[in-house]
Amino acid sequence: MGLDYLDQIIIHSPQPWVEVNQSENRYKEENRAVWKALEDAYKAKKVRVIGVSNFLQEDIENLLEVAEVKPMVNQVLCHISNTPSELVEYCQKNGITVEAYSPIAHGEVLHQPEIKAMADRYGVSVPQLCIRYTLQLGTVSLPKTANPDHMKTNAEVDFEIRAEDMETLKNFKKIENYGASSAFPVYGGKM
Ligand SMILES: NC(=O)c1ccc[n+]([C@@H]2O[C@H](COP(=O)([O-])OP(=O)(O)OC[C@H]3O[C@@H](n4cnc5c(N)ncnc54)[C@H](OP(=O)(O)O)[C@@H]3O)[C@@H](O)[C@H]2O)c1
């Protein structure tokens, strides 16, 4: 890559992506071996942050049993209607920063009238409400946009969602149909 160091490397998934949370094999030995390689890279100062992604509690525990360096982040699917609260809490208790990927549900939250109504009450856009929600969960929010205007407004989230609204958003009904994004493996009904 021609770089002196990388900011972050994560194990994308504890299992091959095609069988994520579908097979019982959690690849315990394989994940420990990959983790050892990441630890070596970290100790050699080739990477500043090492972590995991799509890891469940049992996958993290498997690493913690042998790790010399604890995973620093766990990057997980986390958005209104899909909030893995217990996993987020477990990570936070263990000092693992949670990164919320697809915080706007790949754009699908934009089609939920109840969420639009709440965003209107706060005088913000639906993506701003979504991003603020993940920040108030204590996660690092990872929204994606190819639109510079969206990028700018997505960063303007200096407002506070009230506690009762946070509860409503945490318990918001599961989005059953992700439209065009359903083909995207994350939304293949596996997570
Ligand atoms: N670790 C993993 O397994 C994993 C899996 C999936 C994704 N990720 C990461 O998570 C990040 C985001 O995920 P994602 O792209 O799936 O979902 P996302 O950030 O929830 O949604 C992106 C969609 O929202 C739209 N959007 C963003 N801001 C908007 C705004 N202000 N107004 C209207 N539409 C807006 C974007 O369209 P525009 O471009 O038109 O704004 C795009 O269609 C990526 O960096 C990705 O790499 C990680």
Side-chain angles (χ1 to χ4, degrees):
M1 291 180 183
L3 299 170
D4 294 331
Y5 65 88
L6 298 180
D7 290 325
Q8 177 175 295
I9 302 182
I10 53 181
I11 304 177
H12 177 234
S13 162
Q15 301 169 295
W17 198 234
V18 288
E19 62 184 77
V20 132
N21 295 340
Q22 288 199 321
S23 88
E24 287 184 6
N25 186 351
R26 304 303 300 184
Y27 294 87
K28 292 188 165 193
E29 287 313 312
E30 291 87 342
N31 282 313
R32 286 180 173 187
V34 176
W35 189 251
K36 174 83 178 65
L38 292 190
E39 285 180 331
D40 290 346
Y42 175 75
K43 287 179 198 162
K45 299 194 187 307
K46 290 183 177 169
V47 56
R48 292 195 166 169
V49 169
I50 54 175
V52 295
S53 178
N54 299 297
F55 269 47
L56 303 180
Q57 183 171 330
E58 67 179 288
D59 303 314
I60 296 171
E61 283 167 351
N62 173 52
L63 295 187
L64 291 181
E65 280 170 26
V66 294
E68 290 176 36
V69 181
K70 276 180 21 171
M72 298 168 193
V73 306
N74 187 15
Q75 188 175 118
V76 298
L77 180 68
C78 180
H79 58 71
I80 295 167
S81 102
N82 185 99
T83 306
S85 300
E86 284 178 20
L87 180 61
V88 169
E89 200 179 313
Y90 169 79
C91 289
Q92 290 172 341
K93 271 191 187 146
N94 283 280
I96 299 168
T97 298
V98 176
E99 296 181 341
Y101 76 69
S102 307
I104 313 166
H106 211 65
E108 205 49 42
V109 183
L110 294 164
H111 310 306
Q112 303 297 322
E114 300 98 322
I115 302 300
K116 173 78 173 79
M118 188 186 290
D120 287 348
R121 274 201 282 115
Y122 283 95
V124 299
S125 69
V126 169
Q128 285 170 324
L129 186 74
C130 291
I131 293 162
R132 180 72 205 178
Y133 169 71
T134 50
L135 293 176
Q136 281 186 221
L137 292 174
T139 70
V140 174
S141 195
L142 300 180
K144 196 207 77 178
T145 178
N147 179 322
D149 292 332
H150 292 171
M151 202 175 289
K152 184 173 176 301
T153 54
N154 286 356
E156 293 164 0
V157 287
D158 189 14
F159 64 100
E160 188 78 24
I161 302 172
R162 285 193 300 273
E164 62 267 30
D165 287 335
M166 282 298 290
E167 282 311 305
T168 303
L169 297 176
K170 249 182 224 172
N171 299 307
F172 190 72
K173 65 177 189 285
K174 193 126 182 123
I175 296 172
E176 297 295 349
N177 183 356
Y178 280 95
S181 301
S182 298
F184 191 57
V186 168
Y187 300 117
K190 297 175 184 171
M191 298 296 287

